[in-house]
Amino acid sequence: MQHLWQFYLLLILVFLQGLCFPIQTKRGKILFLSVVCAELVFIAGFRAWNIGNDTLNYINTFILSSHYPELLISHMEKGYLWYNQLVAFLWKNPQSILLSNAIIITSTICIFIYKYSPRVLFSILLFLVLFFGGTLNIMRQYLAVSIVLVALPFVTHRQFIPFVISCCLASTFHVSALIAISLYFLYNLPLKVRYLCGCILISGLVFILLSPIIGQIIAITGRYGGYRGNILLGEETKIASIAKALIQLAIMLFCFFSYQFSQRAHVITKSALPIPFLLWCAVIAFCVQFVSIRGTVLERLVLYFSSFNLVSIPVCIGAYPKTIRILLISILFCCFVLYASIVFIYRPEWNYILPFKFCF
């Protein structure tokens, strides 16, 4: 608990910077996001090798790929291994892979927020609370998410083949990226009650029948056998999945309530992405997170949909009168910070990022 000041200091620093920059203007947004991006890249790229549960594994993979490529045997996808060899060709210091990952992941998230979020400061703060710790751990999947987010214009412009190719490229970093192809079909999917009920019903059936499904996935892919023991309820590790499912449920309900409120109040909510699409992302994120309570291997699929929470929550804030928006943002942000603080105190093993240390 004594190390929480580092987490709070980062939040306060970014918040104060958001107040100093004129983020209501295009130039102000660019300057603010550029400064924050540089700071986060510095923090993530020059961290010590014990920050993040899997960081040392990534470092060892990089060392093997740069010095002993013929001995490299890894469960990691070929695209990520080739990417390691490219980075190693440019700079053999193992710190370079952390820095390269930080540049790609953080800059992509900042560009995504700039293009689609109506409240960049709130989005960045949400990123720090809900996602930044993950970027220090499951870097391979966040690289795949980055490729998907970069390819999002193919979805908005209805270019199916380029988007599929992008998702296939992302899958060479993390095979779970193939699920992101569904974003193309969610984009124009009407928000109808029968579709929502069908989605929830399917999630319930998959939850019940997950054990044989996971068995088939393991048999076909020959991977994820280590997750076989995490298919049943009752293990302590399920606390994480349950907590995350409750968070996703709260986000989904807030977005839907806000959408219904705007519809009844005839409020026009500005959004660069269709609001039904953002709501569908929230629904799918919750459904997959719910199913992952029985199979943690499926938790990796959530990220391709929950990433849009960085946009959907700020967008839904616009459904309410201007007089209460600041209060609503404050309440939501405090709730997320409280959740993160509880995790840091009582479940630090979920993601070792505190106490934070630099590599030098």
Side-chain angles (χ1 to χ4, degrees), residues 37-346:
C37 181
E39 293 169 346
L40 297 182
V41 166
F42 183 82
I43 292 172
F46 292 101
R47 70 183 188 272
W49 294 355
N50 64 325
I51 303 301
N53 299 37
D54 299 331
T55 301
L56 196 56
N57 291 333
Y58 284 105
I59 292 295
N60 290 333
T61 298
F62 177 82
I63 293 173
L64 286 175
S65 65
S66 59
H67 296 287
Y68 310 102
E70 69 281 0
L71 301 179
L72 183 59
I73 300 176
S74 175
H75 68 283
M76 299 182 183
E77 286 79 356
K78 292 297 183 181
Y80 179 75
L81 298 179
W82 293 335
Y83 161 72
N84 270 250
Q85 292 177 347
L86 174 61
V87 174
F89 175 77
L90 300 174
W91 188 20
K92 293 190 179 298
N93 189 317
Q95 199 69 39
S96 62
I97 192 63
L98 300 184
L99 182 59
S100 298
N101 290 348
I103 291 173
I104 295 172
I105 295 169
T106 308
S107 61
T108 300
I109 294 293
C110 288
I111 293 172
F112 172 68
I113 289 173
Y114 170 76
K115 292 177 65 175
Y116 300 110
S117 175
R119 294 168 179 82
V120 295
L121 175 57
F122 189 31
S123 292
I124 282 291
L125 291 174
L126 289 176
F127 170 66
L128 291 177
V129 176
L130 299 177
F131 296 97
F132 184 60
T135 67
L136 308 184
N137 187 16
I138 51 173
M139 294 175 285
R140 189 161 45 96
Q141 187 176 9
Y142 269 97
L143 288 170
V145 171
S146 297
I147 296 174
V148 172
L149 293 181
V150 169
L152 193 58
F154 293 136
V155 175
T156 60
H157 295 132
R158 313 311 293 154
Q159 298 173 311
F160 181 66
I161 299 301
F163 184 66
V164 170
I165 293 174
S166 300
C167 291
C168 291
L169 174 62
S171 71
T172 66
F173 284 75
H174 202 283
V175 69
S176 62
L178 292 175
I179 194 66
I181 296 175
S182 62
L183 292 171
Y184 186 90
F185 303 100
L186 290 177
Y187 189 79
N188 281 337
L189 185 64
L191 196 66
K192 296 183 178 181
V193 175
R194 65 175 182 271
Y195 294 162
L196 293 173
C197 292
C199 184
I200 295 173
L201 178 61
I202 292 173
S203 300
L205 292 175
V206 173
F207 183 87
I208 296 171
L209 303 174
L210 187 62
S211 183
I213 294 175
I214 289 293
Q216 289 298 317
I217 293 175
I218 294 173
I220 293 173
T221 63
R223 304 179 61 187
Y224 308 112
Y227 290 93
R228 192 184 293 274
N230 291 329
I231 295 175
L232 301 177
L233 289 170
E235 297 93 338
E236 183 180 352
T237 55
K238 295 303 174 185
I239 298 176
S241 296
I242 294 172
K244 292 176 182 178
L246 292 175
I247 292 296
Q248 290 297 337
L249 175 62
I251 292 173
M252 182 189 72
L253 292 177
F254 169 76
C255 292
F256 265 91
F257 178 82
S258 302
Y259 178 70
Q260 292 297 325
F261 179 85
S262 65
Q263 293 291 95
R264 293 175 182 177
H266 302 287
V267 176
I268 299 177
T269 305
K270 295 182 180 180
S271 176
L273 293 171
I275 296 179
F277 169 69
L278 296 176
L279 295 180
W280 271 118
C281 289
V283 171
I284 301 301
F286 165 69
C287 290
V288 178
Q289 189 69 66
F290 170 71
V291 173
S292 73
I293 294 175
R294 294 204 69 210
T296 53
V297 65
L298 296 177
E299 192 171 285
R300 295 300 184 92
L301 304 179
V302 178
L303 190 58
Y304 300 98
F305 305 98
S306 63
S307 299
F308 289 88
N309 291 339
L310 296 176
V311 174
S312 59
I313 298 176
V315 164
C316 289
I317 293 292
Y320 299 93
K322 293 182 179 180
T323 53
I324 67 170
R325 288 177 188 174
I326 298 299
L327 176 61
L328 190 57
I329 289 174
S330 302
I331 293 174
L332 290 173
F333 180 67
C334 289
C335 289
F336 287 127
V337 171
L338 178 62
Y339 162 74
S341 300
I342 292 173
V343 171
F344 282 135
I345 295 172
Y346 296 104

